[in-house]
């Protein structure tokens, strides 16, 4: 395969309209001109080709596959995003549901630097078991208070302790102070327990401060960071993933705007394929059964795309979170399998004793996967 | 006003549910913990306050206003975006319809460097009339061919000649060669006609190449650039607007994912307030009556937000485009008024003689605004 193949589900009156709409997409996403106004030869070279149009198994919905020559993209991620959904985002009844990228495009994207196996090594986890992640929260606490929570969670044996993604550079806990205190707290806990908990600071901020912040977290010994691609920019994450030795965990803030049933980009394509291709070793998403409306089927589709072959790229960890109840984690680990990181936040904080609650969670999962 | 005020239209069964949902938003967007699990004092300091909940004039829809202390944001744009819509994007029935930013937040955003008056000066347009913009297109042409189109359009008296936003760094017209050829072509046309057409190159690419590309376009004499905030990152645009002497025109690629009727962010808030605040002197949007489904009312709301008082920020140009028929432009100029840039693309290229078609467009608008 040497072309970019994109699948859209189109909402139209009938198959004929679907075909016309698919053809329009091929023009809109490249030349932005209607058929018949192009200089000779250009349509064949650059306009998207409608490969197939078929029933999508639902009244008034049709699945169209378009293909593009990678020359339409050039060499950067922003233009790839533009080709896939730029202008047609402004139309209606067009949902991007599938994406296959040829080596010419994948080769310009970093993919996960660590991947599932690499993150396991960072956590010194030799067993085939799911990993556990918990969050230091909430925003408003001081750096010292957040560090204390990190210490507590690390002591309990949680594999990854991350910042809440809303922890930026607020006066209550300025970035530099927060990451230093929290990393130190996790290291102290590890030294005491002999564990290998990884602190994952949320690195956000303006484009011009990110470089210094990344350098700081690296210099104090952090091995992984949390980044929100739609907040700091997808290509900014690509740039970070390519340029640092840190493992990247991606947060889905703002992505939900794309997840409409009839128009947008499916969660598995955006969080599974795109977030992985730009360099995420783990991708957080709101699990079914929590406080967000993603279905279990959608979650399983995300898991598949994160782990499936993708050029030569490493597999990435699905990180279901978003209101996962600690008591239900053993159940979900059996559903999603060992190559998963489970993120538990609020439900631990609802318990009277955070350390006890976290320890129970750790033990309940170890028991299932012993 | 010293708080951030955000208006959401919520889809719920009744007003009581709307109130509960609004309260949940205030927690979700800050502490990500449910009520009752917070350390003392934190709720008052950091959680969003529900100011009002009222009927939105439609069955099952309620308008809620929440306010936040700016300390929840800290000092950067990504965290502001996160506060406004990060996690709740992943829920449903929540549409951000209004936004008021206090001086503490606006003061950290650049706003337009040129604004409407500044862009008029760049185009040497002293008259109170709308400006006209046309695009060199399509992708797939060589730099020489694109430059020839720029020359033709500049010769006809179009005020701004922009690149199609899909022109990135494709092999058919590599970035450096394209912008040099096109700028040169527009300068030659200006020298011949005595005109002041501005060439507006599309500057896209990876975060690490943008700096060089901006430096290049500046060094060859360009005074304005086209940027697509959702493709290269909103904060990347903020950073460019703050750091360069170039005027910024923003393209709406990818924004449509936010424009759902019951969930997302309204076009006027995203394109009007946010795009302006990050530094756009002009904001392109698909006009009503073209090939995109925005209504006229929506377009007028965008126009209002771009021109209305916003802290001490300059007003920005609305740039309606997206399939505006050249023959209809005089009509639209009377509707939208002189402080508008009209972008005409495909309909000029459908004519047998591009220069004649562009000249007729220029004359038809000058006649209305003589």
């Amino acid at each position: 395969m040497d072309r970019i193949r994109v699948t859209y589900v189109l909402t139209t009156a009938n198959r004929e309209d679907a075909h016309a709409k698919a053809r329009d997409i091929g023009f809109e996403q490249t030349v932005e001109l209607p058929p018949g106004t192009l200089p000779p030869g250009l349509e064949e070279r650059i306009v998207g080709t409608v490969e197939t149009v078929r029933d999508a198994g639902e009244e008034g919905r049709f699945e169209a596959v378009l293909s593009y020559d990678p020359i339409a993209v050039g060499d950067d991620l922003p233009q790839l995003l533009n080709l896939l959904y730029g202008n047609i985002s402004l139309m209606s009844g067009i949902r991007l549901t599938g994406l296959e990228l040829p080596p010419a495009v994948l080769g310009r994207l970093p993919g996960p630097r660590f991947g599932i196996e690499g993150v396991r090594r960072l956590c010194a986890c030799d067993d085939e078991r799911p990993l556990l992640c918990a969050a230091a929260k909430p925003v408003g606490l001081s750096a010292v208070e957040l560090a204390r929570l990190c210490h507590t969670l690390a002591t309990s044996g949680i594999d990854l302790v991350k910042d809440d993604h809303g922890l930026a550079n607020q006066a209550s806990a300025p970035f530099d102070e927060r990451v230093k205190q929290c990393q130190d707290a996790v290291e102290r806990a590890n030294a005491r327990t002999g564990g290998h908990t990884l602190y994952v600071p949320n690195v956000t901020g303006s484009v011009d401060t990110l470089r210094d912040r990344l350098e700081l977290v690296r210099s104090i010994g952090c091995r992984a960071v949390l980044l929100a691609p739609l907040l700091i920019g997808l290509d900014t994450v690509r740039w970070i993933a390519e340029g640092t030795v840190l493992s990247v965990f991606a947060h889905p803030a703002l992505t939900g705007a794309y997840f409409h049933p009839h128009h947008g980009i499916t969660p598995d394509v955006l969080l599974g394929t795109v977030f992985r291709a730009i360099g995420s070793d783990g991708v957080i998403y709101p699990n079914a059964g929590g406080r967000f409306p993603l279905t279990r089927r959608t979650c399983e589709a995300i898991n598949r795309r994160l782990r499936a072959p993708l050029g030569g790229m490493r597999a990435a960890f699905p990180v279901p979170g978003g209101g996962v109840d600690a008591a239900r984690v053993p159940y979900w680990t059996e559903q999603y399998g060992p190559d998963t990181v489970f993120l538990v936040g609020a439900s631990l904080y609802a318990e009277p004793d955070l350390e006890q609650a976290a320890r129970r969670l750790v033990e309940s999962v170890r028991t299932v996967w012993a």
Side-chain angles (χ1 to χ4, degrees), chain A:
Chain A
M1 188 198 54
D2 57 357
R3 286 172 74 82
I4 300 166
R5 287 169 63 87
V6 199
T7 307
Y8 299 100
V9 170
L10 308 175
T11 306
T12 60
N14 54 51
R15 184 191 289 255
E16 214 180 333
D17 288 359
H19 219 292
K21 192 166 184 167
R23 185 155 182 254
D24 287 349
I25 291 174
F27 279 81
E28 182 69 46
Q29 295 302 90
T30 52
V31 295
E32 296 186 66
L33 282 173
T37 59
L38 291 188
L42 217 55
E43 180 168 344
E44 295 67 30
R45 286 214 312 278
I46 207 101
V47 171
T49 304
V50 181
E51 299 285 348
T52 56
V53 176
R54 55 173 210 176
D55 245 314
E58 209 180 320
E59 175 88 23
R61 307 198 70 198
F62 300 88
E63 188 185 275
V65 177
L66 275 89
S67 75
Y68 297 91
D69 191 307
I71 61 163
V73 170
D75 53 9
D76 57 67
L77 178 65
Q79 173 56 12
L80 175 62
L81 301 169
N82 184 46
L83 182 82
L84 298 177
Y85 208 63
N87 270 13
I88 55 174
S89 78
L90 293 152
M91 300 187 157
S92 67
I94 302 174
R95 190 180 197 214
L96 198 167
T97 60
L99 176 61
E100 289 172 59
L101 298 171
V105 175
L106 281 175
R108 294 196 202 96
L109 297 169
R113 176 179 293 268
F114 292 84
I116 289 178
E117 292 317 310
V119 171
R120 271 193 206 286
R121 277 197 304 278
L122 290 179
C123 298
C125 168
D126 297 327
D127 311 328
E128 201 190 345
R129 63 161 175 89
L131 301 179
L132 290 170
C133 178
K137 62 197 304 176
V139 59
L141 294 184
S142 69
V144 170
E145 290 168 316
L146 290 164
R148 200 174 299 138
L149 295 171
C150 287
H151 190 273
T152 301
L153 292 167
T155 300
S156 73
I158 294 277
D159 300 291
L160 301 129
V161 176
K162 75 166 191 63
D163 286 338
D164 237 8
H165 81 287
L167 291 166
N169 187 37
Q170 291 93 349
S172 45
F175 180 84
D176 290 16
E177 193 189 336
R178 183 186 92 233
V179 298
K180 283 180 192 164
Q181 295 268 3
C182 290
Q183 171 68 7
D184 180 63
V186 170
E187 282 178 6
R188 279 188 287 108
N190 284 340
R192 204 159 61 91
T193 64
H196 297 86
T197 298
L198 216 58
Y199 167 56
V200 186
N202 181 45
V203 179
T204 185
S206 54
V207 173
D208 29 352
T209 60
L210 284 174
R211 196 188 293 262
D212 287 346
R213 288 188 179 169
L214 289 162
E215 180 47 33
L216 173 68
V217 300
R218 201 200 50 74
S219 73
I220 61 173
C222 296
R223 305 295 307 275
V225 288
L226 180 68
L227 305 172
L230 292 205
L231 297 181
I232 64 172
L234 282 154
D235 192 66
T236 306
V237 172
R238 192 270 321 152
W239 166 72
I240 292 172
E242 234 168 62
T244 74
V245 294
L246 296 158
S247 174
V248 171
F249 284 77
H251 191 279
L254 273 192
T255 60
Y258 290 86
F259 300 161
H260 287 267
H262 296 319
H263 189 70
I265 302 177
T266 54
D268 58 302
V269 171
L270 185 56
L271 301 177
T273 301
V274 178
F275 275 26
R276 176 179 168 195
I278 63 174
S280 309
D281 298 297
V283 176
I284 298 172
Y285 65 81
N287 196 27
R291 64 187 190 279
F292 296 89
L294 267 66
T295 65
R296 178 169 172 157
R297 203 168 146 177
T298 299
C299 298
E300 286 170 343
I302 298 170
N303 297 354
R304 264 197 306 277
R305 282 198 180 263
L306 287 169
R307 298 171 186 145
L310 182 66
M313 287 180 181
R314 294 189 176 86
F317 263 121
V319 188
V324 170
D325 185 350
R328 293 280 287 168
V329 169
Y331 164 81
W332 284 111
T333 67
E334 292 183 292
Q335 303 302 308
Y336 289 172
D339 287 339
T340 316
V341 176
F342 288 88
L343 166 60
V344 183
S347 94
L348 294 178
Y349 285 89
E351 298 290 322
D353 184 322
L354 180 66
E355 186 178 331
Q356 285 305 316
R359 206 181 284 279
R360 270 201 305 280
L361 170 64
V362 170
E363 279 159 18
S364 70
V365 171
R366 299 276 167 107
T367 305
V368 173
W369 292 89

